[in-house]
Amino acid sequence: MAAPWWAAALVTLGVVGLAAGPRGCAAQPVVLTSYGQPKLSLRPYDWTYLRVDLPASFSSITMNFATDRDIPREHLKDLPKSDLAIICLMIANPPIPDTSDYYLDNLLSNFLAVGSFGNTNNQSNLAQCIPFQKNTTIVLTNGQISPGIWYIGYFNGLGPARTQSKMISRGRALSVSTSITVEGCPTSALWGPYCNQTIETIGCSQFSRYNNSRDLLGLTINTRKILKTKENTRRTSFLSRSNHPIGHQLESNGTSVVGVENLITCAISNDSLCLRQGDIKFYFLDIVNQALQFEITAANFRLSQSASLICYLRCNALPQRDLHDYSGDISSAPLVIKLPNIGRWYIAIEILNKTQMRNTTAPMLDTICFSFDWQVTGCLNGKTGTDCSWEAYVLQRVPKRNPSVPFESYYVPTDEGALLEYSHFSLEKFLTNSSFEQFAWTYFFLDVPQGSAGALIHVQLKSDKELNYELYSKYGGLPSNDSWDYYASRTSSSNGSVFYSLQNSTDSDMDLSIFYAKEGTWCFGVKHPNYTSNSQTYMSISLQGCHRNCNQKGVCHASVDESGLTFYSFCTCDRDHGGFDCSDELVSPNGHIRQSVFLIASNAAAILPAFWALRQKVYLCFY
């Protein structure tokens, strides 16, 4: 299993620099962006966020935090949550660190054990946090974290009381200064923490207007992609096919699928790709639309029985031997990725000598030349799924009139079957009605705009009969039975994430929310029986502020992060409730009565001494 990035994060007290590494033909990294904040004041129970964008060409990021708080590590376990101040990092959405006592316990245990970011059972949906120290420097390279949007959370006091309304905020204020420097390679052909790795630009990519697209507005369904190359000394041949539908045998229960298109096909001849043992070559491929599969094949090579041609793949980041999304020996069989995510896929290829791995005295392999090609296959005519038989729709975002929070809106299909005036649509009008299997799928794509990562996606199904649907969601890809981010049905759900809630659902009503939804493309898949239903089900998908309007126990507010680029919403609860959505009862009605009685009794107890002082004419004199 790949090691988590936080296990290798460098966190010390004082100033830390990047260690020297092999340079070779490396270029000196240059500063891409920098950010400085001389002083950020946090009152008791206060918090804020900072958005940091790491471009694809970044090599490392250095974060320096200086604060007036200095808590000895041996005293951290003894501190109440209200006095605990932490820094949290999370990719794509703002962190919510105080929703789980189990998580906080592991946070402190891991920090006390290793003094840095700890492994929380490899749960990627949780932020990684460390307590504030006097001076903290964090250095992370592109081999440890992926490029993209990262959020830093500053929290002065944790627990459900963080959002509780208080007449007096007891606690200690916190002041912190932040300095962030992002370094990167001077050219796109160089990569790595020291800019000493080369990325071949012979890869297949799309028109420039599609590059790095994360917006549905930049996607064109069933649009042919063309290939581009950079002039170099290598001889490259490109293979393309016509726009006519072609049939493929893609594990569809023996049925030849019609309506499949080779969106991209590219091959490199065997005299232009040569590797020696220990060499690694990198390529990239942009996938800007939902694809059926991504296949890499090697040919025209001669390898000894002790050698293997290993391929590593990673989405939106450079792969490594111990840090990648997929890997395989393409000298024995093609590497096939089903339903790949939208994004830039990086490909690494190397020769491994199995004998060399077991015996250090084994001879090195000679240079081996070979050819390989990659092929991205997609569906035609607005279809999608593993057999290109499922319906897919792009949802249009409709902003609400006079929204209470920024980006508040709802989504409806861009089809005559749905009207923009209504925030819901009839689900049965859009369901897939033809399949060879017992269940069918229908997919809905929507785009969460930039700057709205602090909002939530609210999905609701209401039927006049018993619901017989399952709902799957996935960010940047197509959900399936085996791959999804969140899942819900009438009887169960994936309720293990702090960013997900399924509440008040009945046999005919399903109500779920995804907190602080990531910016970019989301897909919701409805799995349903493959027969015509006479029920009437309405589906609504909206982008909202606070969860369940703070459960009517507080007021929803909108704020902006320290960079000014992302809005986020939060609840200010009444004095009896707290928590992320004011669902935690901190003071019961009986407890509230007891507090009032004690307050009155304490005031009454002060009456007798005051009366005695007046009778005795006892006065306080100040000189």
Side-chain angles (χ1 to χ4, degrees):
M1 179 179 294
W5 61 266
W6 56 85
L10 181 57
V11 180
T12 62
L13 306 181
V15 179
V16 179
L18 283 174
R23 293 287 175 175
C25 299
Q28 187 70 23
V30 296
V31 176
L32 300 180
T33 59
S34 60
Y35 174 87
Q37 188 175 58
K39 185 176 181 181
L40 175 64
S41 298
L42 297 176
R43 296 172 298 177
Y45 289 108
D46 203 359
W47 76 96
T48 189
Y49 298 107
L50 172 63
R51 171 175 173 151
V52 179
D53 290 75
L54 298 182
S57 59
F58 99 99
S59 58
S60 66
I61 177 173
T62 302
M63 297 174 284
N64 295 290
F65 304 97
T67 179
D68 56 0
R69 181 76 62 89
D70 191 13
I71 306 173
R73 289 175 57 181
E74 59 270 16
H75 295 164
L76 287 174
K77 274 288 188 178
D78 302 327
L79 287 178
K81 292 181 181 179
S82 59
D83 293 336
L84 187 61
I86 63 174
I87 308 172
C88 297
L89 282 83
M90 190 168 188
I91 191 170
N93 48 356
I96 309 175
D98 58 348
T99 54
S100 169
D101 291 336
Y102 173 79
Y103 171 69
L104 288 177
D105 291 340
N106 278 270
L107 159 69
L108 293 179
S109 298
N110 288 322
F111 181 78
L112 293 174
V114 299
S116 64
F117 293 100
N119 186 350
T120 56
N121 297 326
N122 204 24
Q123 300 181 55
S124 59
N125 63 341
L126 292 175
Q128 298 303 314
C129 309
I130 59 172
F132 269 104
Q133 300 290 291
K134 190 71 174 180
N135 292 289
T136 302
T137 297
I138 304 173
V139 181
L140 298 168
T141 69
N142 60 7
Q144 297 168 308
I145 62 175
S146 303
I149 300 172
W150 284 82
Y151 288 91
I152 302 174
Y154 304 83
F155 296 87
N156 185 21
L158 302 178
R162 179 168 61 94
T163 57
Q164 183 189 27
S165 178
K166 307 173 185 65
M167 296 182 63
I168 301 176
S169 294
R170 294 181 175 87
R172 180 179 174 183
L174 172 68
S175 177
V176 57
S177 61
T178 303
S179 175
I180 297 176
T181 302
V182 179
E183 291 189 330
C185 302
T187 66
S188 59
L190 298 175
W191 201 261
Y194 313 108
C195 299
N196 58 350
Q197 295 172 312
T198 303
I199 298 180
E200 301 288 342
T201 56
I202 307 176
C204 305
S205 58
Q206 292 73 41
F207 289 112
S208 60
R209 69 173 180 267
Y210 293 117
N211 285 347
N212 293 325
S213 174
R214 298 293 183 275
D215 192 331
L216 284 178
L217 298 178
L219 307 184
T220 304
I221 297 178
N222 299 328
T223 298
R224 284 276 311 183
K225 311 298 188 302
I226 67 170
L227 311 176
K228 68 176 182 180
T229 61
K230 183 178 179 180
E231 292 295 328
N232 48 64
T233 56
R234 301 187 182 278
R235 182 165 61 89
T236 309
S237 62
F238 296 94
L239 311 177
S240 62
R241 302 195 181 188
S242 66
N243 287 322
H244 299 294
I246 55 176
H248 282 273
Q249 198 79 16
L250 296 174
E251 300 180 5
S252 55
N253 297 329
T255 303
S256 180
V257 179
V258 178
V260 180
E261 181 186 26
N262 286 343
L263 300 180
I264 299 176
T265 305
C266 175
I268 299 179
S269 59
N270 63 340
D271 61 348
S272 62
L273 180 56
C274 300
L275 286 177
R276 296 176 302 174
Q277 182 181 344
D279 290 343
I280 301 180
K281 292 200 173 184
F282 297 90
Y283 302 85
F284 71 86
L285 170 66
D286 286 329
I287 297 181
V288 297
N289 207 343
Q290 290 299 330
L292 182 62
Q293 70 177 31
F294 175 23
E295 180 177 337
I296 299 179
T297 305
N300 303 323
F301 57 86
R302 294 182 180 180
L303 293 175
S304 63
Q305 294 182 353
S306 62
S308 297
L309 187 60
I310 306 299
C311 179
Y312 308 99
L313 280 86
R314 192 179 178 194
C315 187
N316 295 323
L318 207 67
Q320 303 176 39
R321 290 176 182 172
D322 56 350
L323 187 61
H324 51 265
D325 296 334
Y326 302 93
S327 65
D329 183 359
I330 59 175
S331 59
S332 59
L335 178 59
V336 179
I337 310 302
K338 295 290 186 180
L339 304 177
N341 280 9
I342 295 174
R344 173 163 289 187
W345 285 82
Y346 289 93
I347 306 163
I349 298 179
E350 72 168 337
I351 300 291
L352 282 186
N353 190 338
K354 301 175 184 177
T355 305
Q356 179 74 19
M357 296 174 61
R358 295 189 300 264
N359 184 4
T360 57
T361 61
M364 296 288 290
L365 296 174
D366 295 331
T367 299
I368 298 175
C369 297
F370 58 93
S371 64
F372 82 98
D373 66 83
W374 50 65
Q375 178 176 288
V376 179
T377 307
C379 302
L380 295 175
N381 305 321
K383 301 289 186 177
T384 189
T386 55
D387 57 359
C388 289
S389 63
W390 314 133
E391 300 288 348
Y393 302 93
V394 174
L395 300 183
Q396 180 177 353
R397 187 173 71 90
V398 182
K400 290 186 177 180
R401 297 178 179 177
N402 302 319
S404 58
V405 295
F407 299 105
E408 193 170 18
S409 52
Y410 59 89
Y411 296 86
V412 292
T414 55
D415 189 273
E416 295 179 357
L419 299 177
L420 298 182
E421 289 78 9
Y422 298 98
S423 60
H424 59 269
F425 55 91
S426 176
L427 182 60
E428 279 77 17
K429 293 182 180 179
F430 299 94
L431 294 180
T432 302
N433 57 13
S434 62
S435 175
F436 298 100
E437 301 178 5
Q438 181 181 1
F439 290 92
W441 288 77
T442 303
Y443 295 98
F444 299 96
F445 295 91
L446 61 89
D447 186 73
V448 175
Q450 292 186 358
S452 61
L456 65 87
I457 299 177
H458 178 238
V459 183
Q460 191 172 25
L461 297 179
K462 281 183 172 291
S463 179
D464 57 354
K465 296 184 179 180
E466 185 177 279
L467 279 175
N468 199 14
Y469 301 143
E470 297 178 17
L471 188 63
Y472 297 77
S473 62
K474 188 176 183 181
Y475 173 76
L478 206 67
S480 64
N481 287 322
D482 303 321
S483 177
W484 43 265
D485 293 331
Y486 303 104
Y487 158 79
S489 69
R490 186 168 46 84
T491 58
S492 63
S493 69
S494 58
N495 54 5
S497 171
V498 298
F499 290 94
Y500 175 81
S501 173
L502 178 67
Q503 290 186 342
N504 299 336
S505 294
T506 64
D507 290 343
S508 60
D509 188 359
M510 188 183 301
D511 192 313
L512 61 94
S513 298
I514 301 174
F515 307 147
Y516 286 1
K518 303 175 183 178
E519 302 172 3
T521 302
W522 282 83
C523 181
F524 289 85
V526 179
K527 183 180 179 181
H528 52 91
N530 188 31
Y531 57 80
T532 302
S533 174
N534 57 359
S535 62
Q536 183 65 44
T537 305
Y538 287 98
M539 185 176 188
S540 64
I541 305 178
S542 60
L543 198 63
Q544 299 180 359
C546 298
H547 182 228
R548 301 185 63 82
N549 197 24
C550 301
N551 285 290
Q552 310 304 321
K553 304 297 183 182
V555 179
C556 183
H557 296 278
S559 185
V560 66
D561 80 304
E562 296 300 317
S563 71
L565 299 176
T566 300
F567 284 92
Y568 65 94
S569 57
F570 62 94
C571 290
T572 298
C573 309
D574 59 31
R575 59 179 180 173
D576 297 334
H577 295 83
F580 178 75
D581 55 0
C582 301
S583 59
D584 295 336
E585 187 180 61
L586 303 182
V587 181
S588 65
N590 291 333
H592 189 68
I593 294 175
R594 287 195 298 268
Q595 288 182 354
S596 301
V597 170
F598 292 151
L599 179 61
I600 295 173
S602 64
N603 291 334
I607 294 177
L608 184 60
F611 179 75
W612 178 86
L614 291 175
R615 288 292 303 268
Q616 299 297 322
K617 297 183 180 182
V618 177
Y619 302 99
L620 294 176
C621 297
F622 298 92
Y623 298 96

